[in-house]
Amino acid sequence: MQQKIGVIGIGMVGAPVARYFEEIRGLKRKEGLFLFDTDPKKNFSDDINQADIVFVSVPTPPASDGSSDLSALESVFKKLVENKIVVIKSTVPPGTTENFQKKYRMHKILFNPEFLDAKFNWEQFIKPNRQIIGSTAESEDVSGLILSLLPDAPFKSEIGATEAELVKYASNVHYARKVNLVNVIASLAEKLGANYADIRQAMAADYRIGNSHLDPNFGGYRGFGGHCLPKDTLALIASLEAAGLREEADLIKKDYDYNGKLLKEQGLTWEDIRIK
Ligand SMILES: NC(=O)c1ccc[n+]([C@@H]2O[C@H](COP(=O)([O-])OP(=O)(O)OC[C@H]3O[C@@H](n4cnc5c(N)ncnc54)[C@H](O)[C@@H]3O)[C@@H](O)[C@H]2O)c1
């Protein structure tokens, strides 16, 4: 019998998940596919508890201390009954999946990081360059099943949930730091009357650096922005502080503050660049 799939949180990440299961895997709404979102305008109010496997992509915004606000995720777990396979796609701090697994023992809980860009969410969801499934001891036996249900990727990996959560932060904070470095080099080039475009092209030719995040004016302003990089940088700082890694937290905080300085110089606030 085919597994029934649920998707909770039909936004930038959840919408392509839902579309994939409907269009590519041919599941019929309310028979094999159940969609739920709290936004009444989106009109997704299927009975999610009819699903066996539930993908969750609800927001995890910064709390007042910079850590992730997991209240939407918590409310999802409160809603789910019986024994389900729950795949968290929301970006969550390292240790979150294990914590939910301890709290909601009836489910098998996994973490599947999503790496898509807001602009190309469908294209990148169906053609990912990596597909990573993070599991707990309780959910390890269904990790292969989840991997087999998702779009294929040249790099596939079944690892621990905490490792998978860290991969997501490592990636986004790496991009944020790269943008900072590029701004440092572009500022120095400007002072010296050097052409940053020439430097950028030559840097991109190094396969260890690559072409992405080398434009200091990406999005029309200097610095990193968008939906995820600022929030995930803050969340990593909070995780480092919680782990007692103060110097490491300070290092990443410098990145966050440097970006804040760049924005301020342009008359922008963090709120201005949070727009997707
Ligand atoms: N946007 C990206 O490019 C991207 C990429 C990778 C990971 N993520 C992560 O994925 C998660 C979701 O991000 P997004 O960009 O899709 O957000 P989004 O705001 O586009 O979508 C989230 C959806 O969840 C709904 N929602 C909120 N609370 C809910 C609840 N309790 N139950 C059901 N639905 C609820 C909202 O109405 C909204 O439709 C975040 O953790 C984000 O960090 C985002």
Side-chain angles (χ1 to χ4, degrees):
M1 194 190 71
Q2 200 172 32
Q3 305 272 6
K4 291 181 180 170
I5 303 291
V7 186
I8 301 185
I10 318 294
M12 191 65 70
V13 172
V17 181
R19 184 175 163 188
Y20 164 77
F21 280 109
E22 196 162 19
E23 286 182 16
I24 311 265
R25 297 199 69 107
L27 299 187
K28 286 215 162 26
R29 268 292 293 283
K30 300 187 189 183
E31 286 177 27
L33 179 64
F34 300 85
L35 309 182
F36 182 79
D37 195 292
T38 44
D39 181 350
K41 290 194 289 294
K42 295 197 170 174
N43 205 16
F44 295 115
S45 51
D46 303 350
D47 177 8
I48 207 74
N49 276 309
Q50 291 205 36
D52 310 301
I53 302 174
V54 180
F55 291 85
V56 186
S57 43
V58 296
T60 49
S64 53
D65 63 354
S67 67
S68 295
D69 176 351
L70 300 176
S71 55
L73 203 52
E74 185 71 59
S75 77
V76 164
F77 276 102
K78 289 209 172 102
K79 199 175 159 63
L80 296 174
V81 298
E82 295 169 352
N83 313 316
K84 304 222 177 291
I85 297 173
V86 184
V87 184
I88 300 172
K89 287 190 75 68
S90 302
T91 302
V92 291
T96 301
T97 304
E98 290 286 357
N99 289 341
F100 276 114
Q101 182 68 79
K102 281 189 203 106
K103 195 165 170 190
Y104 296 96
R105 289 182 184 280
M106 66 285 219
H107 305 310
K108 290 174 189 272
I109 309 178
L110 305 99
F111 177 69
N112 170 228
E114 186 54 69
F115 299 103
L116 51 80
D117 278 340
K119 267 193 197 151
F120 306 104
N121 62 340
W122 170 243
E123 293 79 3
Q124 292 187 347
F125 179 80
I126 53 165
K127 230 172 168 244
N129 60 17
R130 42 190 174 158
Q131 197 61 269
I132 297 169
I133 311 294
S135 61
T136 65
E138 292 80 354
S139 61
E140 202 181 353
D141 62 327
V142 294
S143 168
L145 167 69
I146 300 304
L147 189 60
S148 73
L149 289 175
L150 290 168
D152 198 14
F155 176 86
K156 292 185 277 286
S157 174
E158 292 177 62
I159 55 180
T162 305
E163 285 81 352
E165 289 160 344
L166 273 167
V167 171
K168 178 65 191 171
Y169 282 105
S171 301
N172 274 1
V173 175
H174 175 84
Y175 306 143
R177 302 203 91 201
K178 197 172 173 185
V179 172
N180 272 354
L181 177 67
V182 153
N183 274 286
V184 167
I185 301 294
S187 295
L188 183 58
E190 212 174 285
K191 286 261 183 227
L192 302 176
N195 182 357
Y196 175 73
D198 292 343
I199 302 166
R200 175 184 172 184
Q201 217 175 16
M203 283 207 295
D206 182 339
Y207 73 92
R208 294 163 299 184
I209 295 175
N211 193 28
S212 85
H213 298 85
L214 292 186
D215 179 359
N217 277 307
F218 186 81
Y221 59 88
R222 296 278 293 264
F224 60 79
H227 187 53
C228 292
L229 300 197
K231 125 179 140 57
D232 294 348
T233 303
L234 275 179
L236 183 68
I237 295 166
S239 286
L240 289 166
E241 279 170 350
L245 296 168
R246 193 180 300 162
E247 280 183 43
E248 289 75 4
D250 285 349
L251 182 71
I252 308 300
K253 191 159 186 311
K254 272 265 178 218
D255 278 303
Y256 189 80
D257 291 345
Y258 177 71
N259 199 60
K261 178 202 93 110
L262 283 179
L263 296 177
K264 202 170 167 201
E265 283 170 358
Q266 300 164 90
L268 294 169
T269 65
W270 287 104
E271 220 26 69
D272 295 329
I273 51 89
R274 224 159 248 148
I275 304 149
K276 284 179 204 167

